Amino acid sequence: MTHGRRTDVSPSQQGGGDWRDSAARYALLPLRIFLGVTFVYAGLDKLTDSAFMKDGGAGSVGDMMRAVRDSSALPALVDLALKNPPGFGYAIALGELAVGVGVLLGLLTRLAALGGALISLSLWLTVSWASDPYYYGNDLPYMFCWVPLVLAGGPFWSLDAVIGNRRRRGVY
């Protein structure tokens, strides 16, 4: 018996569906935009702040790491960063920038989101670990905001989707 309706796709993929189907499809887009813009801004802010990229002094990455060393969950990670604070500062800033651009463009979205989650996790375990109560530190919520993007990627309005569609059509 033949059915007039495919059962392996959702109603919205068949051209039907209601506003809830559309909302569900694009639900992660605001999260991608927020996290992408935030991480691009954070990376650029660090790269353009001459005080941040120094070993010592007010507002420097070195002084910040020394200040949180004894209260962090992973003092060994802080010690590693303190071997070369400016290098660590550039690594974090460039990582944030790469993650933000990747998520905004939707290019290697899952990998970019995993990078964002790892940056947020490392900052939570070092810089904001001592926040009391824990929800005053923003790195933990950021880490969990990345998880849906790690799992789902960027299925809509992304270069990942464009590349995937071209592959399915045999253009590549």
Side-chain angles (χ1 to χ4, degrees), residues 2 13 31 53-54 56 60 92 105 120 135 151 165:
T2 306
Q13 291 171 314
L31 187 60
M53 294 299 180
K54 294 196 174 167
S60 71
I92 289 292
L105 294 177
S120 297
Y135 51 82
L151 297 173
N165 287 336

Side-chain angles (χ1 to χ4, degrees), residues 45-100:
D45 188 46
K46 288 174 182 67
L47 289 171
T48 59
D49 182 355
S50 60
F52 182 78
M53 294 299 180
K54 294 196 174 167
D55 189 26
S60 71
V61 66
D63 278 2
M64 179 184 66
M65 296 312 288
R66 281 187 280 282
V68 301
R69 193 231 176 258
D70 293 334
S71 63
S72 77
L74 297 174
L77 187 59
V78 178
D79 289 339
L80 183 64
L82 284 170
K83 289 183 180 190
N84 184 358
F88 174 73
Y90 279 108
I92 289 292
L94 293 173
E96 288 172 336
L97 194 55
V99 162

Side-chain angles (χ1 to χ4, degrees), residues 39 42 46 52 61 64-65 68 71-74 77-78 81 88-89 91-93 95-96 115-131 137-140 142-143 146:
F39 268 56
K46 288 174 182 67
F52 182 78
V61 66
M64 179 184 66
M65 296 312 288
V68 301
S71 63
S72 77
L74 297 174
L77 187 59
V78 178
F88 174 73
I92 289 292
E96 288 172 336
L118 292 174
I119 289 171
S120 297
L121 176 63
S122 67
L123 292 174
W124 176 59
L125 291 172
T126 55
V127 178
S128 62
W129 179 258
S131 296
N138 63 355
D139 297 311
L140 184 62
Y142 274 107
M143 184 187 71
W146 286 111

Side-chain angles (χ1 to χ4, degrees), residues 4 7 14 25 35 53 68 75 80 85 91 99 120 131 145 160 167:
T7 58
Q14 295 174 10
R25 283 188 304 164
L35 290 171
M53 294 299 180
V68 301
L80 183 64
V99 162
S120 297
S131 296
C145 285
D160 289 341
R167 281 190 181 143

